[in-house]
Amino acid sequence: MNVPFYDSTREYKLFKADFDKAIADVISSGAFILGKEVGEFEEQVKKYTGAKYAVGVANGSDALLMTSEILGYGKADVLTPVFTFFASSSCITRLGGRPVFVDVDEDTYNMDMRDAENRMTKNTKGIIPVHLFLQTADMDKCMALARKHSLTVLEDAAEAFGIKTLYEGENLHAGTIGDFGVFSFFPTKTLGGYGDGGMVITNNEQYYNLVKSYRAHGATKKYHHDFVGYNSRLDTLQAAILQVKLSRIDDSIQKRARHADHYRELLKDIPAVKLPAIKENNTAVNYVFSLQVENRDKLEQNLKENGIGTSVYYPIPLHLQKCFENLGYKKGDFPVAEKLCEKAIALPMFPELTVDEIDYICDTIRKFYK
Ligand SMILES: Cc1ncc(COP(=O)(O)O)c(C=O)c1O
């Protein structure tokens, strides 16, 4: 049996008529740049997440960059986890600021807020909590830390579409608690397009107006540039495709949840496998199903030989990336993240995965550890 790590074509085949119509409608309209589908999709994301404002941009990395610039992270130290995708910290260095790396919690893979407080510097102005894989970072502790030290909060919710957390008695969508939240619609994401895409959400009208102008070269009116901005708009074709996907998102999330339950049931008694923990008060979404395992590289090879796709999120912690050498960190500075980089392996997780495929994957893992 061959099981891909991710396959978008299964969903496309199921709903081909809807996707084809959405794409054809955009092409027939001839309105490719900020066409009506972008505005419609922004409205739908606002409704789904409860955010007051939403701005579609070219990708999640640009969303982080623009919001970091607006929050002044180019002239500051910013707390950010050391175990995440590169873009969560390149948005700071790209603008001239300094990421202050923070270790993560071993069970949830998310930023350890106690470690964040310990690593604060005098020049720390912001915090970028990243909501990784299944659930949000601890937003109670994050916001308490932000209030205590007057920090702004930029939630990297690139991986967190659909995830909610209980915050001050309310069940809130990831990205709606801090000053900004950003989403990525990279194809593998829970809400993924057929190319790049991203979005900024906020409850602050002034920030909203700034992002709207930043995505169009800093123009407040056509050819009137109050700022030097970016050229970073959500593509209209992607917005049309994402509208089709968003209309089925709850069903997709439920399917992912069923797959995760099945994995957990079949893997729970293998001593060499540690399943990810879900923190209380979180409504998890299974974007990435990542285990911690003994002998990770050999297991990865064995699964490959048996036709099973996997992925390692993330093989190198950010403090050991060549481009961050100048920050002065060394091996041993972030023990949890370093361990996770050696042990983590993600299994196939997408709505159209089948029960037989999960049975086969788990069987193969069981045989490997026998
Ligand atoms: C945590 C995190 N932040 C930022 C990004 C960047 O998003 P994009 O690939 O849309 O630029 C990603 C996704 O790839 C991500 O996983």
Side-chain angles (χ1 to χ4, degrees):
M1 194 187 267
N2 269 315
V3 191
F5 179 66
Y6 172 76
D7 182 2
S8 65
T9 64
R10 295 187 191 180
E11 188 190 35
Y12 174 62
K13 280 181 204 138
L14 281 175
F15 306 112
K16 187 174 182 309
D18 293 355
F19 285 118
D20 288 355
K21 179 174 183 320
I23 292 166
D25 283 352
V26 174
I27 298 173
S28 328
S29 79
F32 299 115
I33 305 298
L34 294 181
K36 75 172 176 34
E37 287 78 3
V38 176
E40 287 167 3
F41 180 58
E42 288 168 345
E43 287 304 312
Q44 289 159 4
V45 170
K46 274 163 52 179
K47 196 160 164 229
Y48 192 85
T49 60
K52 275 200 186 139
Y53 305 102
V55 187
V57 298
N59 53 65
S61 304
D62 276 5
L64 282 167
L65 199 55
M66 286 187 260
T67 48
S68 289
E69 186 167 342
I70 291 166
L71 294 174
Y73 292 175
K75 293 190 183 73
D77 288 357
V78 181
L79 296 161
T80 181
V82 75
F83 182 78
T84 170
F85 181 62
F86 182 67
S88 317
S89 51
S90 62
C91 57
I92 308 161
T93 49
R94 193 76 189 76
L95 298 167
R98 194 171 78 101
V100 176
F101 289 129
V102 175
D103 213 344
V104 291
D105 174 77
E106 183 168 349
D107 297 326
T108 63
Y109 310 119
N110 269 314
M111 192 165 182
D112 175 344
M113 294 299 165
R114 249 179 319 166
D115 194 51
E117 181 145 33
N118 292 339
R119 294 188 194 255
M120 288 258 323
T121 62
K122 262 199 245 139
N123 195 30
T124 301
K125 297 283 189 305
I127 176 162
I128 304 184
V130 182
H131 308 314
L132 214 65
F133 301 164
L134 304 174
Q135 59 202 313
T136 67
D138 187 334
M139 288 311 289
D140 278 325
K141 290 207 178 101
C142 177
M143 296 309 287
L145 184 66
R147 274 193 294 269
K148 186 169 163 192
H149 300 280
S150 304
L151 311 176
T152 51
V153 176
L154 164 52
E155 291 180 67
D156 182 346
E159 302 189 358
F161 203 86
I163 296 177
K164 288 186 172 176
T165 190
L166 202 62
Y167 177 73
E168 293 187 339
E170 267 187 283
N171 207 22
L172 298 180
H173 197 287
T176 62
I177 298 169
D179 294 279
F180 280 118
V182 311
F183 295 122
S184 162
F185 304 124
F186 186 82
T188 58
K189 297 286 190 265
T190 305
L191 179 61
Y194 288 167
D196 277 311
M199 191 162 282
V200 175
I201 56 172
T202 183
N203 292 323
N204 178 316
E205 188 178 3
Q206 195 193 348
Y207 284 157
Y208 161 68
N209 286 326
L210 281 170
V211 179
K212 253 179 86 167
S213 114
Y214 269 57
R215 81 170 164 186
H217 284 297
T220 40
K221 214 161 76 178
K222 200 168 184 188
Y223 302 132
H224 291 69
H225 301 274
D226 294 356
F227 315 96
V228 176
Y230 299 72
N231 177 22
S232 184
R233 301 161 298 216
L234 178 62
D235 186 79
T236 307
L237 280 166
Q238 295 305 331
I241 290 159
L242 286 160
Q243 279 187 280
V244 176
K245 294 234 191 176
L246 184 58
S247 70
R248 300 205 167 79
I249 195 75
D250 290 335
D251 184 50
S252 305
I253 289 172
Q254 273 167 25
K255 285 185 176 134
R256 285 172 180 267
R258 281 203 290 276
H259 300 333
D261 288 347
H262 197 46
Y263 272 130
R264 284 180 185 277
E265 187 54 34
L266 296 181
L267 297 173
K268 67 174 188 231
D269 58 354
I270 304 179
V273 171
K274 183 176 170 191
L275 292 161
I278 307 227
K279 220 178 45 187
E280 260 176 58
N281 296 338
N282 253 287
T283 311
V285 170
N286 291 273
Y287 163 54
V288 165
F289 197 74
S290 188
L291 315 171
Q292 292 171 53
V293 297
E294 304 296 333
N295 250 329
R296 193 264 319 272
D297 294 349
K298 287 208 173 112
L299 174 67
E300 188 185 21
Q301 184 56 32
N302 180 278
L303 291 174
K304 191 171 169 200
E305 283 160 16
N306 284 288
I308 298 165
T310 59
S311 186
V312 169
Y313 300 89
Y314 298 92
I316 306 174
L318 293 175
H319 68 297
L320 300 180
Q321 294 286 350
K322 193 167 180 343
C323 66
F324 291 144
E325 266 172 15
N326 63 320
L327 296 173
Y329 294 106
K330 59 181 185 323
K331 200 165 171 22
D333 284 347
F334 300 91
V336 179
E338 288 171 27
K339 184 170 141 192
L340 290 177
C341 289
E342 284 170 14
K343 291 191 161 240
I345 185 165
L347 302 180
M349 173 57 79
F350 52 95
E352 298 74 26
L353 201 63
T354 67
V355 170
D356 287 351
E357 287 173 326
I358 296 174
D359 287 344
Y360 173 64
I361 295 165
C362 295
D363 241 28
T364 312
I365 295 175
R366 189 173 289 280
K367 278 186 194 134
F368 175 79
Y369 285 114
K370 251 196 182 153

